Amino acid sequence: MRRKKLFRTPYLYDAGGDISKSWWIELGYRDPKDGKMKRKRYQEELSLLKTKKARREKAEELIKIYTAKLSKGWTPLDDIKNQVVYEDELEYHEAARVYGRKRKANKNIRFYGSEYISHIKARKAKKTFESYRGKIREFTSWLEKEKLVDNDLSTFNNNTIFQFFEYLIDERQLAKRTVEKYRMTIGKFFTFMIGQNIIIENPVHDIDLPETDEDFSAMPFLDDDMEKILPVIREQDPQLFLAALLQYFCFVRPGNELLNLQVKHINFGARTITIPKNIAKKRKERVIDIPTQLFDVLQRHGIHTFGKEMFLIGPFGRPGNRQIGTNTLRTRFNKFRDDLDLSKSYKWYSFKHTGAGKLLESGATIVELMNQLGHTDITSTYRYIRQHFGERSEHVRESFPSPRGFEP
């Protein structure tokens, strides 16, 4: 059966060397939906360059990149990537079936993750294999949330990996040994991809993790540091200020819960916030009391005047019809923290931990703290207290007997 080539080699159109005109790189690819050869031109990067030499050098570089990608099966179509270079003509006559199969076989991180998991299944003990599989799935899930999952693997650089590990540390609150296992597993996956000639460099490097005896958890603010950062945030970024107070007073988790919180979830009459189960961490709905200080801030921000379906933390510094990016608030907080030269142990989560500690110090019962945190059992609350604040005893601090002969 005659076979059709799926692409034409990229070439440079240079307008006869006239840099006052548009130059572009043109390539051809076959659309698997209708079997027809299509053209694609790229000219943006070339148009920014003002000399013939610069344009030709850039064109040579881009032609190599596009040729390599096309050779691996990539096409410019957003939803069809990395097909084989040749395909039977018969398959084009059954375009719908082919297209459906191609979508299932897209060679993105899902495809290669599955390939890697299959590779190690027979080489690892069952428990080790399940650990590897779980971590690759977690990485893929995070990429999906960040809308990066369909990107070419070559675009995953060290910054992408660093953001994933920030997520594990700041939002997932994983223990140091667990995070180190993630680093090893994800690193081995990309090493495998190098061996398969999919990528040329492992992006898992220079991950700045704490030393062995250091805690990954976000550190609660010291009073002096809170006095430095909170007024500055309030003055310069009122939305970030509100988001910080939602953590501090109501322990709204700054990831999925905060970003999905809508105006309708705030009951101004009862002065409560409802976290519905579809966005709650443990898929269990909880109702949180709003302390007076936060309630006043919500009213000053006019939250009650916005549409019920609007996201409380929306774009443009006010409630909106769409969510902001997953890392937006954390990035804005980090800038304030770094500009004030505060410890990097302070994370976006630190407001939540600080509020929990202050509520505990104010004389609140363990049950009150448990309910406000949204814990389902008191054991989790005790574990939380020990992790973030240590074992505390008013009796030890104030009533410890002095040794004989001690002069204070």
Side-chain angles (χ1 to χ4, degrees):
M1 181 178 292
R2 188 168 62 90
R3 301 164 73 87
K4 293 183 178 180
K5 197 170 184 179
L6 286 184
F7 71 85
R8 287 197 295 264
T9 303
Y11 70 92
L12 170 65
Y13 171 80
D14 64 2
D18 187 348
I19 61 173
S20 68
K21 296 182 179 180
S22 295
W23 292 26
W24 62 73
I25 292 171
E26 182 170 303
L27 57 85
Y29 66 96
R30 193 172 297 282
D31 189 335
K33 291 187 288 185
D34 58 19
K36 295 180 180 179
M37 188 66 77
K38 305 290 178 66
R39 293 185 301 174
K40 178 67 176 178
R41 292 177 178 176
Y42 297 92
Q43 65 184 61
E44 291 81 1
E45 292 187 69
L46 297 180
S47 64
L48 297 175
L49 303 175
K50 304 303 181 184
T51 67
K52 292 182 183 179
K53 181 180 179 182
R55 288 191 180 187
R56 293 189 189 282
E57 288 178 349
K58 186 63 177 178
E60 183 178 354
E61 174 189 342
L62 292 174
I63 286 172
K64 288 181 179 178
I65 292 173
Y66 289 129
T67 300
K69 291 174 69 174
L70 287 164
S71 296
K72 292 179 181 178
W74 169 87
T75 79
L77 298 177
D78 291 336
D79 53 357
I80 303 178
K81 297 182 179 181
N82 293 324
Q83 298 162 310
V84 295
V85 177
Y86 292 92
E87 185 137 29
D88 290 339
E89 182 180 0
L90 177 62
E91 292 186 320
Y92 291 114
H93 296 162
E94 301 172 349
R97 181 176 63 84
V98 174
Y99 180 65
R101 188 171 70 253
K102 290 301 179 188
R103 285 187 59 84
K104 294 179 181 178
N106 281 349
K107 294 186 179 179
N108 54 17
I109 186 71
R110 294 190 196 90
F111 175 88
Y112 289 117
S114 177
E115 190 175 70
Y116 177 62
I117 289 170
S118 298
H119 170 75
I120 65 172
K121 186 172 185 179
R123 295 168 172 80
K124 302 289 183 183
K126 181 179 178 182
K127 187 174 181 180
T128 303
F129 162 72
E130 290 175 349
S131 175
Y132 274 55
R133 182 177 60 186
K135 291 174 175 59
I136 297 297
R137 284 177 174 174
E138 177 79 7
F139 181 50
T140 303
S141 176
W142 178 83
L143 290 170
E144 286 179 341
K145 186 171 65 173
E146 296 298 314
K147 296 180 172 57
L148 299 172
V149 73
D150 288 320
N151 285 15
D152 191 282
L153 259 67
S154 63
T155 66
F156 296 157
N157 56 25
N158 184 244
N159 182 58
T160 307
I161 303 301
F162 182 81
Q163 290 182 33
F164 173 64
F165 278 90
E166 271 202 333
Y167 158 77
L168 294 179
I169 296 166
D170 294 349
E171 293 193 27
R172 290 289 312 283
Q173 295 281 288
L174 297 183
K176 57 176 70 71
R177 290 178 62 188
T178 303
V179 176
E180 179 61 30
K181 289 177 181 178
Y182 269 93
R183 180 165 63 172
M184 292 173 59
T185 300
I186 304 302
K188 289 179 179 179
F189 164 68
F190 280 105
T191 297
F192 176 77
M193 291 296 98
I194 293 173
Q196 298 296 305
N197 295 318
I198 306 302
I199 58 175
I200 61 174
E201 182 181 355
N202 194 323
V204 186
H205 59 84
D206 299 327
I207 304 298
D208 188 17
L209 299 179
E211 298 297 330
T212 304
D213 59 352
E214 205 172 326
D215 195 349
F216 281 122
S217 301
M219 184 176 77
F221 283 101
L222 298 174
D223 288 342
D224 289 348
D225 290 337
M226 181 67 87
E227 288 179 7
K228 290 178 182 178
I229 194 170
L230 197 59
V232 176
I233 292 177
R234 179 177 186 173
E235 178 181 353
Q236 299 183 23
D237 193 337
Q239 184 187 56
L240 188 68
F241 176 72
L242 174 60
L245 295 187
L246 285 164
Q247 285 194 69
Y248 180 90
F249 285 114
C250 292
F251 311 147
V252 177
R253 295 178 177 92
N256 197 48
E257 290 185 359
L258 183 58
L259 298 182
N260 284 282
L261 196 65
Q262 293 174 279
V263 174
K264 67 182 179 182
H265 297 142
I266 301 177
N267 187 327
F268 284 90
R271 285 178 44 168
T272 59
I273 294 175
T274 298
I275 305 295
K277 62 182 180 180
N278 64 305
I279 67 173
K281 180 180 179 181
K282 295 189 176 180
R283 296 296 182 262
K284 182 178 178 63
E285 180 179 295
R286 72 181 196 273
V287 179
I288 310 166
D289 286 316
I290 303 176
T292 299
Q293 305 96 309
L294 175 59
F295 188 75
D296 290 344
V297 172
L298 289 168
Q299 288 189 311
R300 286 201 300 272
H301 279 247
I303 299 301
H304 57 288
T305 67
F306 288 90
K308 298 293 185 183
E309 299 299 322
M310 286 188 169
F311 292 102
L312 188 62
I313 306 297
F316 312 115
R318 56 181 172 77
N321 293 317
R322 60 183 177 85
Q323 294 175 314
I324 62 173
T326 304
N327 297 315
T328 301
L329 294 178
R330 183 188 304 115
T331 300
R332 282 150 60 179
F333 164 76
N334 287 347
K335 187 176 187 308
F336 281 108
R337 178 199 63 196
D338 296 343
D339 287 348
L340 292 169
D341 199 27
L342 299 180
S343 170
K344 291 188 183 295
S345 295
Y346 295 136
K347 311 290 186 183
W348 181 222
Y349 253 95
S350 291
F351 288 103
K352 175 174 175 281
H353 299 329
T354 306
K358 291 299 182 182
L359 181 60
L360 190 64
E361 290 175 354
S362 72
T365 66
I366 295 296
V367 172
E368 288 171 327
L369 179 62
M370 178 186 76
N371 290 337
Q372 194 75 348
L373 283 167
H375 290 169
T376 55
D377 64 86
I378 205 162
T379 302
S380 298
T381 308
Y382 277 119
R383 189 183 306 118
Y384 183 92
I385 293 170
R386 287 196 300 271
Q387 179 182 2
H388 299 292
F389 315 110
E391 300 286 357
R392 294 185 171 190
S393 170
E394 185 70 20
H395 181 87
V396 170
R397 288 197 297 267
E398 302 297 335
S399 303
F400 202 114
S402 299
R404 290 180 177 272
F406 173 74
E407 292 290 340

